Amino acid sequence: MCEACPTLLDKLLHKGLLVETGIDGLYGRSGLFEQVIDGFDRLISRTGADQKAEVLRFPPGMNRVLFEKSGYLKSFPQLAGTVHSFGGNDKDHAVLLDRLAEGQPWWDKQEMTDIVLTPAACYPLYPTAAKRGPLPEDGLIFDLNSYCFRHEPSKEPTRQQMFRMREYVRIGTPDQVVAFRKNWLERGQALIAKLGLPFNVDVANDPFFGRAGRVMASSQRDLGLKFELLVPVNSEENPTACLSFNYHQDHFGSTWNIRTAAGETAHTACVGFGMERVAIALFRHHGLDVDKWPAEVRDALSL
Ligand code: ATP
Ligand code: ZN
């Protein structure tokens, strides 16, 4: 380890695993870092292969109108990111260039586009699934992976503003969805144990905004709707959520009018894997030199 690097972020940057951009939480990744991510991605696929999930990949931006309807702005306005672009004429362009040259704000010359940044891999899925009509008897299961954006700048390398989230999402009856989440609570722990990482599982809540948000967060905890698999990475006291197991009840089913085969409002659940978080946890616990990682861990990741 580098003596002159006081923090985990410094160590990862110094070793070139992450590449600085001048913005907290926005990093480039080295080839080796990506090999670890790819190995973990394949391990997830092997672990979930029996589910025969339908693979869908969306770009890291989603339809703004669908995003508005999803309710994200009600719960997490502080995290959302929107895409803006220039829509003016020659005169506006000249003003924009003058402002730039003077170091003045220029962004009032921009307009919001029809695209927002994807906040979680599953957000573009629900309206897509809803369009297919009532669910089959067995419900549906999807395999997703997306770069996600959350406006939460931090010096902790595990809290990034643009990061990848792999997800399995189950849509079906309450029984189907609850069974899926129970199953993944177990599989997720076995998977992280295989990687030689210390962990514990605990009930959790999402960072709902404002005063109303506090009520939502405590009800989410009371109902046991969110669990996290936590690995100590930055500190022992505040371990990092590397996997989450979320039961949304009928929240997305009723928002998007997704119906079961019997015509009831569908329930949904997802298991989310924080790809960068797991990779960084591996570097933190097994060292920055992948060649020296335990053989079982290298095997599991096909490294
Ligand atoms: P936290 O409580 O740490 O903010 P979260 O519970 O909001 O995380 P989810 O919304 O459940 O996270 O997202 C699914 C997974 O995505 C998390 O388990 C985590 O591994 C990963 N993740 C979430 N936010 C970030 C981030 N800012 N940087 C990197 N990974 C993240
Ligand atoms: Zn999800």
Side-chain angles (χ1 to χ4, degrees):
M1 292 266 169
C2 165
E3 294 289 310
C5 297
T7 69
L8 178 61
L9 176 60
D10 291 328
K11 290 182 174 74
L12 294 164
L13 291 172
H14 184 254
K15 187 82 178 172
L17 289 160
L18 294 182
V19 180
E20 210 159 25
T21 66
I23 303 291
D24 289 340
L26 188 71
Y27 306 107
R29 292 95 161 97
S30 75
L32 182 59
F33 191 89
E34 289 302 288
Q35 277 179 35
V36 173
I37 295 259
D38 291 347
F40 181 51
D41 198 39
R42 286 193 299 269
L43 177 61
I44 297 168
S45 298
R46 287 201 300 278
T47 310
D50 62 302
Q51 306 174 117
K52 310 245 177 312
E54 177 179 340
V55 177
L56 275 182
R57 296 289 180 261
F58 290 95
M62 67 176 281
N63 181 328
R64 174 168 53 81
V65 173
L66 299 179
F67 173 79
E68 287 163 0
K69 193 173 161 189
S70 75
Y72 194 84
L73 289 170
K74 197 169 159 202
S75 300
F76 314 109
Q78 78 282 20
L79 300 177
T82 50
V83 177
H84 290 65
S85 191
F86 177 71
N89 57 21
D90 281 335
K91 209 173 114 208
D92 297 312
H93 185 211
V95 174
L96 186 155
L97 293 179
D98 284 347
R99 298 250 190 91
L100 261 186
E102 291 158 12
Q104 295 297 322
W106 52 274
W107 34 93
D108 63 327
K109 291 286 153 204
Q110 292 225 319
E111 289 163 8
M112 195 178 272
T113 67
D114 294 333
I115 296 176
V116 298
L117 300 175
T118 303
C122 59
Y123 269 71
L125 172 70
Y126 304 112
T128 306
K131 270 201 266 174
R132 296 187 183 176
L135 299 173
E137 287 288 344
D138 290 344
L140 293 172
I141 180 155
F142 291 95
D143 167 337
L144 308 172
N145 190 344
S146 178
Y147 254 102
C148 297
F149 174 87
R150 293 185 186 178
H151 185 237
E152 45 183 3
S154 167
K155 294 276 184 207
E156 287 183 352
T158 47
R159 189 169 295 285
Q160 303 195 3
Q161 299 201 63
M162 288 187 146
F163 58 94
R164 274 159 291 182
M165 196 189 290
R166 175 92 186 260
E167 283 196 52
Y168 287 118
V169 181
R170 185 81 170 101
I171 309 182
T173 63
D175 284 353
Q176 288 167 343
V177 160
V178 167
F180 164 88
R181 192 180 68 153
K182 184 163 176 283
N183 182 288
W184 271 103
L185 261 165
E186 280 152 30
R187 286 186 187 201
Q189 294 181 66
L191 192 147
I192 294 300
K194 234 187 220 174
L195 296 179
L197 296 172
F199 66 87
N200 73 293
V201 171
D202 205 354
V203 68
N205 61 267
D206 286 309
F208 294 104
F209 183 77
R211 203 178 318 157
R214 282 204 287 280
V215 180
M216 288 166 83
S218 76
S219 123
Q220 189 184 29
R221 291 184 91 92
D222 292 347
L223 296 169
L225 299 181
K226 185 180 184 85
F227 287 88
E228 288 176 338
L229 184 151
L230 302 148
V231 180
V233 182
N234 305 291
S235 72
E236 293 290 328
E237 311 81 66
N238 290 310
T240 299
C242 289
L243 273 60
S244 338
F245 313 89
N246 305 303
Y247 178 28
H248 317 116
Q249 297 175 300
D250 67 353
H251 172 73
F252 291 114
S254 54
T255 301
W256 298 106
N257 193 24
I258 309 174
R259 298 270 154 191
T260 64
E264 307 282 337
T265 303
H267 280 225
T268 61
C270 63
V271 51
F273 304 86
M275 304 306 288
E276 284 77 8
R277 284 190 178 178
V278 170
I280 292 169
L282 287 161
F283 284 110
R284 158 74 183 77
H285 286 279
H286 300 315
L288 299 187
D289 196 347
V290 172
D291 293 337
K292 298 196 180 127
W293 287 8
E296 318 81 74
V297 175
R298 293 170 54 89
D299 273 357
L301 297 169
S302 348
L303 288 171

